Each structure stands twice: as structure tokens, then as C-alpha cells.
Amino acid sequence: MSASDAVLTQILVQLQDLQKSQQVLSAKVDSILTPGSPRPHTNGFPTPGRETPSALPMIDPHASPSASIPALSSSLPSTLGSPSRGDQALPSEKERERALFPSRVILTTYPDQHGIKPYPLVWGAEDPKVRGPVICSRLVPSIKHRNAIGAHSGSYSIYRALAIALGTLSPTHKPDYSLTEPPVPVPPVPAWFDPGKIVSFDPWGHLVPQIFRDEVEGKGLDIRPSIAVTKAHIKLSELDEAARKGEIPVDNKIVIKSRPLLNEDRTESSADPGIELVTSKAAVEPVWYLPGVADRFGISESLLRRALFEDTGGMYPELITRPDVKVFLPPIGGLTVYIFGPPEYMRDETKELTLRVHDECNGSDVFGSDICTCKPYLTFAIEECVRCAQRGGVGVVVYFRKEGRALGEVTKYLVYNLRKRGGDSADKYFKSTELIAGVKDMRFQALMPDILHWLGITKIDNMVSMSDMKYNAIVQSGITIRKRYDLPDHLIPPDSRVEIDAKIAAGYFTSGKQITQADLAKTVGRTWEEADH
């Protein structure tokens, strides 16, 4: 053995001894800081990171974070999956915490950290294998290969964390994606291979289990789909009424008759059951390619990262420490696409296409509030999409989770209170929102056209919208709009006239009369007193 080898061997032995001492000391410190806490191996349950030194593998002191995280599948007790407190053999809260998480908190990582090797990801690559999977998991097999910041499922990732903390979900649960492939094909189109066309979600997200099967099964990487495509029937009372009036004929392809209604005694009712719409739909979670998002908004990537870090309470420090990681899964809502007619027609420029891009409004869309035109717009657009499909074309409704112009429902209701107490006139409409939120709209439609490019849409024959922001964003992205039209006047609820007139005066599209600023003071909404009866 050479002198250098001998020195290295001596250093390794000293490091191993130091590691053993550190583990023993850590266990003693824990027992002091947590009086009465069980010692390691209490009730036969070894605490990860706290086993006797001989049971632990020797770890490089400069190793990656994953080196300190034992395999949870072998360390979690079988009782951990239940939050029940009735069995005395259940581990303590401290034991459960140690079983779930490593002994040290990993706040962030760095590009040059030993063991950190992000899985290659080339946004916009034509070959999905070259593009690479999106990996954001902190589980042992994946943590050192992470090439994305954040977590799957958007805002629902918080509920996943809660389920893990309560013991109702194992953090190492491996989903079974067999039989979940899309029943409706959404094949690649040229826009998928342009890194600037789709930057707000993963265009390959619905094909992940099929494309990256080897990486999941062979390498054990935690790679999940971020898009799901399925088929369904839609039933709305407004559409039933339209069918009864003969405005939507039953064709037994797109519009079908509902099954007979039942009486209380389970016999068939003679009442008209109405209709159902056959639709294909896709749910899409946000996956942001940060350089592309920054470019879309005309700001620097560093400014975008800093703003995201600061205004999420410092939730994602790797936005700052990992400039080499370019993908971020933000904790926001996604979108849903509803397709009426053959989906392949979206990619065929010879077919007529009708579109509605709709931003969520729970109060109106679901509960029918008449202070805005959201539900009338949505139901009218669905009818228009169905008519287009029955003419031999295709209809598309895109539903974004941007409640209250992306200001949120709490802010929206506060604005309602201000409007109703301060005189609900159209000339104060946008100002009321600005007084509460500081801005009148935070939907920022620049990212919205991505979904249209994913679907292969290159032209729109009929756009049901009065929004200038949506129209401009779509046209500027390279998609032609041949015709646009707004909600017919007879469908506008009286109390939402304030909203409509204010938007027209602000420059929104209208097929009716123009409204000046002087006219706005004359448009007044219903007072609370009028509703209290």
C-alpha cells in the first residue's frame, strides 16, 4: 500500500468514527430536548437516522441530502397508515416524525453540491426522451435527480402533505397508472417543439406513464402525469331548457336524450328528462418553464424568481439557490378543457372552431349569483360550441382556475361590499377593485394561449368573449381569430349591467352601442335593501 493510500485509509477511518460519535451524540441530545421520549428501537420500531451505528451505512460527510434519508418503505411501521390512537403499540408523534423525515431539515440545495445531479431536461425538444421527465419529488430515489422546484397537484399539494402528516397516506405510495391512458388522443403538434409556445405546463404531461415507464420502473424515479384526458357527459338545466325550446336539437352524437327520471317509488316518470352533452375533457396542472414565463411577461428570469420567492413567504428557496433548475410547479390552480365534437378537428384548419376562454367564478358559475355575467356567458358559450359541432365543426371551452380575476374570492366579496355600500354605479366599478386589491385584474392572459397551441389550434372562427386582453393574447401568439362576439343583451342579468357597461367603456369588445364615461354614472346596480325582502 502506498503512502497516499495509507493516509486516505486513515482519514476514512477517522471520518467513520466521527460519524458514529455524532450519531450517538444526536440521540442523547434528542433524549434531553424531549423528556420522556422513547429511546431508539422502542417497541421494536427503529427510528430512521437513529439506529445503532453498526446498522447504518457509512456516509460521505459531503454527500447529497438523500444520503441522510433512509428508505421509508422499510422504516415505516404498518400502523403508521392509520391516525387511530386506540392501540398502545402505535408509535409516538416523535417517532412518526422521525420515520417520515430525516433527522436534519434540508432547506435548500445548491448546483455544485456533491451528489446533486439533475436529470437532463431540454424544454421544447422534439423527442420526449431528450426533453426528459419533470422530477420534483424529494423521495430518496429522486431527490438528487430533481430538475424542478415545487410539487405536483398545484394547491392540492398542501392536502397531500397533510395526509402524510396524519398517516393516511404513505409518502412512498407508488401510483398504479395502468388503464389510465387517454381515451382521446392528443398527439404532438409543432407548437410542442417550440420552447416559446408552451411555457406554463408540460405538453407531454398526459403521456408520462407511457413515455417514462423505464425511468419509473427501472430507476425508481418518482415521475407523475400533470395532465389527464378523459370523456364524460355534461348535464345542465340551462341546456335542458334550450333543448325544450328547440334551440339545441338531439342528434344522438353530441346531444343525447337523458335517461328517464324516476318517481319516489322508483318507477319511471313521464316528465321530460332533458339532454346530455357528450364531451372530451382534459385537466392540466401548471408546470412553468421559468425562462419562457419571464420572456412572455417581458421581465428577467432573476426578477421573476425573486418575486415568486418573496411573495410566497420564502416557500421555495431553491428559486434563489438553484438557478440551474429552470422548471417550477407553482401552488396555483390549473385549467380544464372541454371539447364538443371530434377532437381531431381542432387540428384541422378546414373545420369551423368556436372557442370560449372562461375564468372561474364560483359565485355565478356554480351558485348563480346575478352580480356578474359569468354563468350566462359560460352556458351561452357551451350552446354555441354545441351548435358549431352540429354544423360539422368543433367547440372548445377552456376553464381557468382564476377566481375573482385571480384576486381570490375573499377579495372579490370585499369589493362587493364596497360597491354596495358606496353606490354601485358603473363609473366606480374598476376603481372599487383597485381600492381593495391595488390592481383591477391579475389574470395576466399572456400564458393563456399555451393551451390552444397544445391542442393544435391555429385559427378560431368564432370567439365568444368581449375581453380585449384574451383577444390580444391569442392573436399575438400567432392564432388568427376570424370573428368575435359577446353575450346577447337579453341574457345579461339586471344587476350585472354595471359590470358590462364599465367594461365596454374601458375598451372591451361590444357588438351593441358604445358607452361613454358620462353614461356610466347612470348605470346603477341593485342595493342591499332591494334584496332584503
Side-chain angles (χ1 to χ4, degrees):
M1 179 183 294
S2 65
S4 60
D5 289 339
V7 172
L8 290 174
T9 300
Q10 185 178 7
I11 293 174
L12 179 60
V13 171
Q14 291 174 345
L15 287 174
Q16 292 171 342
D17 290 340
L18 180 61
Q19 181 192 39
K20 294 177 182 179
S21 300
Q22 183 181 17
Q23 291 165 347
V24 173
L25 178 61
S26 178
K28 290 181 178 179
V29 169
D30 280 344
S31 66
I32 294 173
L33 295 178
T34 312
S37 65
R39 292 294 189 268
H41 292 267
T42 299
N43 295 328
F45 169 48
T47 304
R50 299 292 190 270
E51 290 90 340
T52 55
S54 60
L56 285 174
M58 293 300 102
I59 301 173
D60 183 344
H62 299 292
S64 68
S66 63
S68 67
I69 308 176
L72 289 174
S73 58
S74 61
S75 62
L76 288 174
S78 59
T79 54
L80 191 60
S82 171
S84 171
R85 297 281 187 259
D87 189 347
Q88 291 185 349
L90 287 175
S92 68
E93 289 292 322
K94 193 65 178 179
E95 285 178 312
R96 292 181 63 247
E97 183 176 348
R98 290 173 179 169
L100 285 168
F101 306 109
S103 58
R104 61 190 177 98
V105 178
I106 303 169
L107 293 177
T108 193
T109 57
Y110 300 89
D112 57 351
Q113 188 171 343
H114 181 75
I116 293 294
K117 189 177 180 181
Y119 207 93
L121 193 152
V122 183
W123 199 266
E126 187 167 347
D127 183 341
K129 289 287 191 177
V130 175
R131 204 301 299 271
V134 173
I135 305 173
C136 63
S137 173
R138 289 168 62 96
L139 291 179
V140 177
S142 303
I143 187 167
K144 64 183 179 180
H145 299 300
R146 290 170 65 243
N147 56 18
I149 302 164
H152 281 289
S153 301
S155 58
Y156 294 101
S157 61
I158 304 302
Y159 291 100
R160 173 183 167 85
L162 182 59
I164 290 173
L166 293 175
T168 58
L169 173 65
S170 168
T172 58
H173 169 71
K174 185 177 180 180
D176 181 359
Y177 292 122
S178 58
L179 304 180
T180 66
E181 62 272 11
V184 178
V186 182
V189 294
W192 292 24
F193 318 135
D194 183 339
K197 285 291 186 184
I198 302 175
V199 300
S200 59
F201 61 88
D202 178 7
W204 299 97
H206 59 310
L207 302 174
V208 162
Q210 292 77 40
I211 293 174
F212 300 112
R213 181 179 287 109
D214 292 343
E215 286 79 0
V216 173
E217 297 180 358
K219 300 179 181 180
L221 297 176
D222 185 8
I223 306 171
R224 305 179 198 175
S226 57
I227 300 176
V229 182
T230 189
K231 297 192 293 187
H233 286 192
I234 291 178
K235 180 146 185 79
L236 295 171
S237 59
E238 291 85 357
L239 299 177
D240 288 341
E241 185 62 26
R244 292 187 185 108
K245 293 179 179 178
E247 297 171 357
I248 300 180
V250 173
D251 58 19
N252 294 319
K253 292 189 301 183
I254 300 165
V255 181
I256 62 176
K257 200 69 176 176
S258 295
R259 293 180 180 180
L261 300 174
L262 296 179
N263 298 313
E264 289 186 12
D265 61 359
R266 308 298 294 173
T267 60
E268 285 190 7
S269 169
S270 60
D272 180 12
I275 62 167
E276 297 171 18
L277 306 182
V278 177
T279 183
S280 305
K281 59 182 182 178
V284 182
E285 294 177 357
V287 178
W288 285 9
Y289 177 57
L290 291 172
V293 172
D295 183 68
R296 193 74 64 82
F297 288 113
I299 60 177
S300 67
E301 183 186 341
S302 61
L303 174 57
L304 174 64
R305 286 172 174 266
R306 183 63 183 270
L308 291 171
F309 170 74
E310 296 289 352
D311 283 279
T312 56
M315 187 184 295
Y316 302 101
E318 285 173 316
L319 286 167
I320 305 299
T321 65
R322 294 298 303 277
D324 60 313
V325 175
K326 301 296 185 181
V327 174
F328 175 50
L329 281 65
I332 60 175
L335 64 91
T336 309
V337 181
Y338 294 87
I339 305 164
F340 304 93
E344 62 270 20
Y345 285 7
M346 295 184 294
R347 303 181 292 275
D348 186 344
E349 287 194 351
T350 67
K351 302 297 183 180
E352 182 184 6
L353 187 145
T354 296
L355 172 72
R356 166 69 181 171
V357 175
H358 192 90
D359 294 319
E360 179 183 29
C361 178
N362 179 65
S364 179
D365 295 342
V366 179
F367 291 97
S369 171
D370 67 346
I371 199 171
C372 63
T373 58
C374 294
K375 185 171 187 176
Y377 245 123
L378 181 59
T379 54
F380 173 68
I382 292 174
E383 291 179 24
E384 287 293 284
C385 286
V386 170
R387 294 185 187 103
C388 180
Q390 290 184 326
R391 291 193 298 265
V394 62
V396 180
V397 173
V398 185
Y399 194 91
F400 280 89
R401 300 319 191 278
K402 297 179 182 178
E403 176 65 59
R405 299 195 203 127
L407 300 171
E409 204 163 23
V410 169
T411 296
K412 181 165 74 171
Y413 286 9
L414 293 173
V415 172
Y416 287 170
N417 290 348
L418 173 61
R419 285 173 52 187
K420 294 303 181 182
R421 287 194 176 106
D424 190 14
S425 57
D427 59 330
K428 301 175 183 177
Y429 178 78
F430 286 116
K431 185 63 176 179
S432 297
T433 303
E434 291 174 347
L435 286 172
I436 301 295
V439 62
K440 66 180 182 181
D441 198 323
M442 289 201 307
R443 286 173 291 182
F444 304 125
Q445 302 292 350
L447 300 178
M448 175 267 293
D450 288 17
I451 187 64
L452 307 181
H453 292 294
W454 180 68
L455 295 169
I457 295 173
T458 56
K459 61 86 187 167
I460 298 163
D461 296 280
N462 314 298
M463 181 174 176
V464 186
S465 175
M466 67 184 302
S467 171
D468 53 336
M469 291 185 292
K470 293 174 183 176
Y471 176 86
N472 292 338
I474 292 172
V475 172
Q476 290 169 9
S477 77
I479 297 175
T480 301
I481 297 177
R482 295 177 176 173
K483 174 187 173 184
R484 59 192 296 207
Y485 52 106
D486 52 355
L487 185 66
D489 198 70
H490 71 278
L491 296 178
I492 299 174
D495 200 38
S496 63
R497 191 78 242 182
V498 172
E499 170 203 16
I500 292 296
D501 287 2
K503 288 181 175 180
I504 293 173
Y508 281 54
F509 171 80
T510 177
S511 57
K513 69 172 185 177
Q514 295 298 319
I515 295 175
T516 66
Q517 289 294 327
D519 296 326
L520 294 182
K522 303 174 185 177
T523 305
V524 180
R526 183 180 58 238
T527 65
W528 277 338
E529 289 72 20
E530 292 178 271
D532 291 338
H533 54 73

